[in-house]
Amino acid sequence: MKLVTAYRANKILFNFIEVNHIAGKVILPANICVDVVNTLRYAGLELVFVDVQANNLCVNQSSVLQLAPSAAMLLFVHTYGVEDEYHEFFAQVKEVNPNIIIVDDKCLCLPDLNVDETPADIVLYSTGAKKMVELGGGAIGYIADQWEYDEVEVEPNDYLNNDTWLLDTKQLYIKMDAMISHKEKLNAIYREMLPVSIQLPEEYQHWRFNILTDKKDVILKALFAEGLFASNHYQSLSPDCAIANNLHNYVVNLFNDQYYTKEQAIRTCEIINNLLNND
């Protein structure tokens, strides 16, 4: 695979689609960043949204296998930066449709600079804002050798631009080590102070620390009122996708990046616990 870079992962994806003249349907999860959706539409692809599945919160595999024969592309997102590999599933998809392009979207995962063997045609990582490792912008992509890749000029908009970005490997590893250490400290606070019953499993607690609660809106309002921060998951882009809708309605993403301090994390827990105990 060849390593490529751009200022945003969307631009790598767009460049790939344009240079290889990809057309047709793309399968993607209903709860996905709207900038990705806009990029795919800008490239002229037809979007087919599917629900995620409960056991791993990633795109529903049965739905994908049913749709794959008539699709040009699958965009597989690692929800909350889950680190699991899905090579076996990708191989199944390729059996159903050998020509389908698989995009392994790991933009919320820790970047890997040694991607080699994978059934995916593209692997994407991001070091932009609100990602696992922030370098003030930037994205890393791995393109399978059989595919062409080049820069394509676009009219800049909210989700695509022509800015260049060069990978600084040393800086990436320095930032990565610091971020892992910081996240572990804040996650330990959340893990110890918050009820285990509302915590998502550990594999989903890398990018943010995620909780599941029917008090999502109340919690967000209370945190913002005290100058603290949190977020909710992407709103589902299909009303028929029940699990994706539930993730948006009930999951709160608690911050654990370099901009959030231990004191803020402790206060966040105190506010949440107070609201949960006031039933």
Side-chain angles (χ1 to χ4, degrees), residues 25-40:
K25 297 177 182 178
V26 54
I27 306 167
L28 67 168
N31 54 349
I32 189 170
C33 173
V34 69
D35 286 355
V36 178
V37 171
N38 289 333
T39 297
L40 294 169

Side-chain angles (χ1 to χ4, degrees), residues 154-256:
V154 296
E155 186 70 29
N157 52 45
D158 291 339
Y159 48 91
L160 287 174
N161 61 49
N162 301 306
D163 295 348
T164 57
W165 179 80
L166 297 177
L167 172 62
D168 184 334
T169 304
K170 181 179 179 180
Q171 183 68 7
L172 174 61
Y173 281 126
I174 291 173
K175 285 271 193 176
M176 192 181 300
D177 289 343
M179 181 57 67
I180 291 172
S181 176
H182 185 74
K183 284 179 178 289
E184 286 177 349
K185 291 174 183 176
L186 266 60
N187 280 1
I189 292 171
Y190 292 135
R191 198 178 296 115
E192 180 180 346
M193 293 189 64
L194 294 172
V196 174
S197 60
I198 68 170
Q199 299 177 26
L200 263 62
E202 190 62 30
E203 59 264 33
Y204 304 109
Q205 307 294 33
H206 303 299
W207 166 70
R208 295 281 189 265
F209 193 92
N210 300 289
I211 61 172
L212 186 70
T213 171
D214 59 3
K215 289 182 173 289
K216 182 202 77 171
D217 293 334
V218 175
I219 288 172
L220 290 175
K221 183 177 180 179
L223 293 175
F224 294 154
E226 289 218 12
L228 299 168
F229 303 98
S231 61
N232 51 222
H233 197 60
Y234 302 123
Q235 186 167 2
S236 174
L237 297 173
S238 171
D240 299 324
C241 296
I243 299 175
N245 279 310
N246 284 338
L247 289 181
H248 172 72
N249 292 334
Y250 298 108
V251 171
V252 179
N253 314 133
L254 302 180
F255 284 20
N256 56 8

